[in-house]
Amino acid sequence: MKLQMKYMKMIFGVLLLVALATGCRTTTPPPTTEEYNPYAKAEEQTVVIQKLDLEAGTMSFVSVNDGKQYDLLYNNGVDVRNKYGEVMSGSLLSAGQIVDIVYNTDNNKLLEIAINPDAWEVREISGFEFDKANQQAKILNQAYRYTSDLVIVSGDKLIGVNEVCKEDQLTARGYGGKLCSLTVDLGHGYVKLENYETYVGGMIEIGYDVIVPVTEDMLLTVREGTYKLKITKGEHSGYKNVVVLRDEEVTVSLMELQIAPDPIGSLFFDVTPAEAKVMIDGETIDKAETIELTYGRHQIRVSAEGYETKEGYITVDSAYKIFTIELSRNGEDASGNTSNTIEPGTTTEQGGSTTTEDSSNNTTESQKTGNTVTIEKPLGAYCYVDGDYKGTVPCTFDKVPGSHVVTFSMTGCLVKSYTIQCLDNGKDDKYTFDDLQTYESVLFQELD
């Protein structure tokens, strides 16, 4: 019995030890690892690059579909490719490009960027046209719609639609029939003149786009770049180099180009008969007085009742000069003219008809048709025909057969040219053209 009890105690002790040993141990499951997948919550979008700062690791985009903006994180691990699927450097990306992106929606980290192969691009656009009423832009005679999310980039900043000027040179990018972005490749600056007063009424040229009359207090809008400024008035002209910077105003002094005043000559007219009337450049003079005229050619007309009228040109080329002119009675041969007579080319009115043309006029009598051309609009604009000033609209000038370029300019407006064809058909021609566009009218307006 004791042995049995002893044996049972031994078994119990063993069981107790086993129980204690088992209670002191914990069971640890085998380690498991799950690989992080950044594409698990990824989303694709076709967007326009709005801003990018690769050093800071940030990029902003605008959806081409709904205008939604995305501000995402960028690092060197992002897969960047061109439109052909080839790997490219992220440093080659620029604002305004249309790209396809893949990003993680949990942490807003970019995963992939690829230039969209279906996006279109038109470079070196000048004279950008748009129809705000219909929210359309015309590019190479093709109309594209645009919306308030249009991305416009100038340099390193975004600008509004009203800051784009017709003088700018642009790159346009779009997707389908939508214009998505404009990049200002060449912007515009401003040119202000000083010491230009002697050229008022002349013409100024800067590059190929700015050809306007010289007026008071001019401020010219000019595409950025380096130009040779040309200013002309009559036979006088001068040149000046000018550098135009984007959004900056440059003042150009024309002090060294100013036109020296024409020299003056004193004239006395000894006319027979004494009662004859003398007109110089259309104005009657007092023959009893010495008059002053600028050097050069002047029109003269001498007439008296019962005498043949003489008219033509005199040349002033010295400080003092006496002109002796003797009229012949009607029906007599012209004679009696001594020194300093009226220059050859004068005419005599007989029976009320006159037949001479100023030899300095480029239009000869044989070229004229006897008809006229009248420009009725744009009202108030300066009118030039083949570069010759014809007056302020409305204006009328002689009709000469052939093709002619008619140019209109007005302070604060864009210069506009048209080609007209004049026929020798015995008819007077009349033309009406659109009003000139003001600089303000060609600026983009902020979209509502």
Side-chain angles (χ1 to χ4, degrees):
M1 186 70 177
K2 288 183 178 179
L3 182 60
Q4 185 178 5
M5 290 294 295
K6 183 178 179 180
Y7 180 75
M8 291 181 62
K9 288 179 178 180
M10 289 176 63
I11 294 175
F12 178 78
V14 171
L15 292 176
L16 179 62
L17 290 174
V18 171
L20 290 175
T22 303
C24 292
R25 289 201 305 265
T26 59
T27 303
T28 303
T32 59
T33 58
E34 182 178 345
E35 184 178 354
Y36 170 68
N37 182 9
Y39 287 87
K41 293 187 178 180
E43 182 175 308
E44 296 183 20
Q45 288 289 338
T46 299
V47 294
V48 181
I49 301 177
Q50 187 184 55
K51 292 183 295 184
L52 70 167
D53 187 342
L54 300 187
E55 291 186 3
T58 60
M59 298 183 73
S60 296
F61 307 91
V62 174
S63 170
V64 300
N65 297 314
D66 56 16
K68 181 179 178 181
Q69 182 162 330
Y70 297 86
D71 296 318
L72 304 176
L73 300 176
Y74 172 89
N75 59 48
N76 292 332
V78 176
D79 184 14
V80 182
R81 297 180 180 267
N82 62 22
K83 66 179 181 180
Y84 305 107
E86 302 166 339
V87 175
M88 61 178 280
S89 170
S91 62
L92 298 178
L93 296 171
S94 61
Q97 289 179 313
I98 299 175
V99 297
D100 296 321
I101 62 171
V102 179
Y103 72 101
N104 186 297
T105 57
D106 270 351
N107 54 23
N108 288 329
K109 289 184 177 180
L110 282 162
L111 302 173
E112 298 178 12
I113 303 175
I115 305 296
N116 186 284
D118 299 320
W120 52 263
E121 178 180 285
V122 181
R123 293 181 176 273
E124 298 183 359
I125 299 174
S126 297
F128 190 78
E129 297 181 34
F130 70 100
D131 179 359
K132 182 181 177 183
N134 297 309
Q135 286 196 319
Q136 290 184 338
K138 184 174 288 187
I139 304 171
L140 300 180
N141 296 320
Q142 178 69 42
Y144 297 90
R145 63 184 177 86
Y146 65 92
T147 57
S148 58
D149 54 27
L150 176 65
V151 174
I152 308 176
V153 183
S154 178
D156 58 355
K157 63 180 180 180
L158 296 173
I159 62 174
V161 290
N162 64 334
E163 297 177 77
V164 178
C165 185
K166 193 171 185 179
E167 281 75 17
D168 298 340
Q169 180 174 293
L170 309 172
T171 292
R173 296 182 177 93
Y175 191 76
K178 181 181 179 181
L179 172 65
C180 300
S181 74
L182 290 172
T183 302
V184 180
D185 301 316
L186 293 175
H188 61 274
Y190 307 93
V191 176
K192 190 174 182 63
L193 301 181
E194 282 185 347
N195 310 118
Y196 62 93
E197 290 76 14
T198 57
Y199 283 97
V200 170
M203 296 289 291
I204 184 170
E205 301 179 32
I206 305 178
Y208 298 102
D209 301 321
V210 178
I211 306 175
V212 295
V214 181
T215 59
E216 297 287 345
D217 299 323
M218 299 182 72
L219 183 63
L220 301 171
T221 303
V222 183
R223 180 179 295 173
E224 65 176 309
T226 301
Y227 303 97
K228 178 172 285 188
L229 178 153
K230 178 182 179 182
I231 191 164
T232 60
K233 185 177 182 182
E235 298 178 352
H236 301 278
S237 64
Y239 298 87
K240 193 78 178 279
N241 291 326
V242 57
V243 178
V244 180
L245 301 178
R246 186 179 302 195
D247 300 328
E248 294 187 17
E249 179 181 315
V250 57
T251 300
V252 180
S253 174
L254 304 181
M255 176 67 74
E256 70 275 22
L257 302 179
Q258 288 199 76
I259 300 172
D262 292 331
I264 301 294
S266 297
L267 310 181
F268 181 79
F269 291 89
D270 180 13
V271 180
T272 302
E275 66 272 17
K277 182 173 69 172
V278 179
M279 297 183 69
I280 303 293
D281 296 333
E283 295 185 5
T284 302
I285 66 168
D286 184 355
K287 303 190 303 298
E289 301 290 338
T290 299
I291 68 168
E292 292 185 341
L293 291 177
T294 58
Y295 275 37
R297 286 163 58 88
H298 296 271
Q299 190 175 34
I300 183 172
R301 177 185 173 92
V302 183
S303 61
E305 187 174 354
Y307 292 82
E308 295 181 349
T309 297
K310 289 186 180 294
E311 61 180 337
Y313 296 88
I314 59 173
T315 298
V316 180
D317 55 9
S318 61
Y320 184 78
K321 206 166 192 178
I322 298 175
F323 286 89
T324 301
I325 303 171
E326 183 176 342
L327 298 182
S328 300
R329 289 187 178 275
N330 288 333
E332 296 180 0
D333 292 335
S335 62
N337 286 344
T338 59
S339 62
N340 297 329
T341 58
I342 301 176
E343 293 178 353
T346 63
T347 63
T348 303
E349 287 191 352
Q350 297 179 349
S353 63
T354 305
T355 61
T356 318
E357 183 60 31
D358 179 357
S359 61
S360 67
N361 194 318
N362 292 328
T363 303
T364 65
E365 191 68 28
S366 61
Q367 290 177 310
K368 293 183 179 180
T369 62
N371 299 108
T372 60
V373 175
T374 298
I375 306 295
E376 298 179 331
K377 286 186 65 179
L379 292 175
Y382 297 108
C383 177
Y384 297 83
V385 178
D386 298 330
D388 293 331
Y389 178 66
K390 296 298 181 181
T392 303
V393 180
C395 62
T396 300
F397 47 88
D398 292 322
K399 182 180 180 181
V400 178
S403 178
H404 304 280
V405 177
V406 181
T407 303
F408 302 106
S409 65
M410 183 183 293
T411 302
C413 297
L414 297 175
V415 177
K416 184 69 176 179
S417 296
Y418 301 89
T419 299
I420 64 173
Q421 191 72 32
C422 295
L423 303 177
D424 189 2
N425 55 8
K427 297 180 180 180
D428 295 334
D429 294 339
K430 291 185 179 181
Y431 291 91
T432 298
F433 298 98
D434 292 338
D435 290 335
L436 297 182
Q437 288 184 292
T438 63
Y439 288 111
E440 290 78 9
S441 69
V442 298
L443 295 176
F444 281 101
Q445 301 297 320
E446 289 286 353
L447 297 174
D448 296 334

